[in-house]
Amino acid sequence: MSELQFAVASKPRRSPGPLISTALFIKRTLYHIRNNAMGLVFEAVLSPAIMMFIFTFLFSGAIAGSVSEYIQYLLPGFILVTVVPMTVYSGSTICTDISKGVYHRFRTMPFWQPSPLFGAILADGVRYVLALVSVILVGMNLGFRPEDGARGIVLAAMYMLLFTYSVSWVFAYIGNLAKQAETVSGTSMMLIYPLLFASNVLVDPATMPRWLQVIVEINPISIAVTLTRGLLHGNASAFGLATGLGVCLLMIAIFAPLTIWVYLKKQ
């Protein structure tokens, strides 16, 4: 073997960088999602559609007097009711990898180490998009009409994706701390559902006691719903836009670095 051939043969392979590593873990998570296609269809398509249908006819008569009026108020908030609970899957995926010892195998491999986190979180966007489409289609069939048209739908959907991705970092952090995936799911119920129902999702806060109105006004879910309604109907205020985006950026700024630090420090 010549010196040139020896140099080429002995040259070490370059480790995959952040983009390639993250893309590989996105593909890995999508593979697991595809293997549970029936569960994905039920959780992200059928269940949101059925719940949207039930909630609309359950509350429309008591709150607004008609389905067509109530759906205009309900749909922007109901998107959050269906999509935000799905963010728990990111934390569950990470927790499962850690509890089954897959994490320790990852630590021995020469790739960008935070990529399993980013791959799991980004790939779950498939669930969010399907749920968004399902709720909006059902809502439009029930009479929902966004005043800002297609532009409003696109802007609201983009904001919802940003909000859900920011919430997923919260559960990714919990997934690093929990011992079992069931713990992540249980914690999500305690955190998400009180916030969802103590908000402006289903009813106007003006009908609530003053002490509850204060809680609803500072609730991140209420802030996100207010901006979503504004984007769909073309009347979002500068303050609503600033606070809605600020909530997302604040969650990412706190929980993304914290999650990565905890993940890399695990033994």
Side-chain angles (χ1 to χ4, degrees):
M1 181 182 293
S2 68
E3 291 185 9
L4 179 58
Q5 289 174 321
F6 178 79
V8 172
S10 61
K11 185 178 180 180
R13 280 179 144 188
R14 292 182 61 187
S15 300
L19 291 178
I20 295 176
S21 299
T22 301
L24 290 172
F25 279 96
I26 289 174
K27 184 177 179 180
R28 172 181 180 259
T29 305
L30 290 176
Y31 175 80
H32 290 303
I33 292 174
R34 187 188 66 182
N35 283 347
N36 187 29
M38 185 59 69
L40 177 66
V41 170
F42 180 78
E43 293 167 353
V45 179
L46 296 180
S47 181
I50 292 170
M51 293 299 292
M52 180 72 190
F53 191 83
I54 292 173
F55 269 73
T56 300
F57 286 95
L58 186 65
F59 292 108
S60 60
I63 295 175
S66 70
V67 170
S68 59
E69 288 184 21
Y70 185 54
I71 195 69
Q72 295 296 117
Y73 184 87
L74 175 66
L75 185 136
F78 201 81
I79 293 174
L80 277 163
V81 173
T82 56
V83 177
V84 169
M86 294 181 184
T87 57
V88 70
Y89 285 107
S90 300
S92 298
T93 299
I94 294 163
C95 183
T96 300
D97 282 345
I98 294 172
S99 63
K100 290 186 175 182
V102 179
Y103 166 83
H104 298 291
R105 276 184 258 171
F106 289 162
R107 293 305 301 271
T108 65
M109 297 179 182
F111 56 72
W112 188 58
Q113 287 299 310
S115 57
L117 294 174
F118 286 89
I121 289 172
L122 292 173
D124 277 334
V126 172
R127 305 180 197 273
Y128 310 150
V129 170
L130 287 175
L132 278 167
V133 172
S134 176
V135 170
I136 291 172
L137 287 178
V138 171
M140 294 190 75
N141 277 283
L142 291 176
F144 177 76
R145 295 294 181 269
E147 294 178 23
D148 202 27
R151 187 184 72 165
I153 293 176
V154 171
L155 291 176
M158 289 173 62
Y159 175 69
M160 282 292 96
L161 289 175
L162 175 63
F163 185 80
T164 49
Y165 274 124
S166 63
V167 174
S168 66
W169 279 108
V170 178
F171 290 106
Y173 174 67
I174 294 172
N176 274 279
L177 301 179
K179 300 295 183 182
Q180 296 179 333
E182 291 79 5
T183 305
V184 183
S185 301
T187 305
S188 74
M189 294 181 65
M190 291 191 299
L191 290 177
I192 290 177
Y193 286 104
L195 289 173
L196 283 173
F197 291 108
S199 69
N200 60 357
V201 169
L202 300 177
V203 297
D204 188 343
T207 62
M208 303 176 185
R210 182 56 194 162
W211 63 268
L212 186 54
Q213 289 182 31
V214 174
I215 295 174
V216 170
E217 287 170 3
I218 62 174
N219 184 344
I221 298 292
S222 295
I223 294 171
V225 171
T226 299
L227 178 55
T228 304
R229 286 195 179 110
L231 292 172
L232 283 168
H233 297 305
N235 56 10
S237 65
F239 178 77
L241 185 62
T243 53
L245 293 175
V247 165
C248 299
L249 296 177
L250 183 62
M251 282 192 286
I252 294 172
I254 293 174
F255 286 98
L258 188 59
T259 302
I260 294 171
W261 181 78
V262 172
Y263 184 78
L264 295 179
K265 291 293 182 180
K266 290 191 74 68
Q267 298 297 324

